[in-house]
Amino acid sequence: MSILQKDVELKSIFCELIAANSSIKLDPLVTYKLQSTGLIQLDGDNAFITCELYRLYFQRQLCSSHNFQMQKLHELQKDV
């Protein structure tokens, strides 16, 4: 989890993958980084979360704060 906390872009993309509930195509470098952690697997060019337990855990521990921050950012942008 520390690699995701250190790399904001990687965290954001991983949270998008979790929210997608299906496989999506990722940038090759991002794919390599996430696959090397064991968090994703590939189906051709598309990536998906390795197991549902990972999805549930990271959705609660990592992505809930990310989603909250993104909502606040969108609210601030609307006010400007």
Side-chain angles (χ1 to χ4, degrees), residues 12 42 44-46 58 67 69:
S12 179
L42 296 177
D45 288 340
N46 293 327
F58 285 106
N67 290 338
Q69 292 169 354

Side-chain angles (χ1 to χ4, degrees), residues 18-31:
I18 285 175
N21 283 324
S22 63
S23 62
I24 59 174
K25 187 171 182 169
L26 301 175
D27 173 77
L29 182 58
V30 170
T31 301

Side-chain angles (χ1 to χ4, degrees), residues 1 8 11 13 16-17 22 24 29 35 41 48 56 58 66 70 75 79:
M1 187 153 102
V8 175
K11 175 183 175 180
I13 293 168
E16 287 178 29
L17 182 60
S22 63
I24 59 174
L29 182 58
Q35 190 176 25
Q41 292 181 347
F48 61 94
L56 295 172
F58 285 106
H66 172 74
M70 293 306 290
E75 288 173 12
D79 292 340

Side-chain angles (χ1 to χ4, degrees), residues 17-79:
L17 182 60
I18 285 175
N21 283 324
S22 63
S23 62
I24 59 174
K25 187 171 182 169
L26 301 175
D27 173 77
L29 182 58
V30 170
T31 301
Y32 171 76
K33 288 179 180 180
L34 289 173
Q35 190 176 25
S36 69
T37 65
L39 295 173
I40 66 165
Q41 292 181 347
L42 296 177
D43 180 18
D45 288 340
N46 293 327
F48 61 94
I49 303 297
T50 302
C51 69
E52 189 62 21
L53 184 59
Y54 287 167
R55 179 186 306 281
L56 295 172
Y57 174 79
F58 285 106
Q59 189 174 34
R60 294 180 97 190
Q61 298 298 318
L62 187 71
C63 299
S64 61
S65 64
H66 172 74
N67 290 338
F68 177 76
Q69 292 169 354
M70 293 306 290
Q71 284 178 329
K72 288 294 182 189
L73 179 62
H74 288 301
E75 288 173 12
L76 290 172
Q77 289 174 341
K78 286 180 185 178
D79 292 340

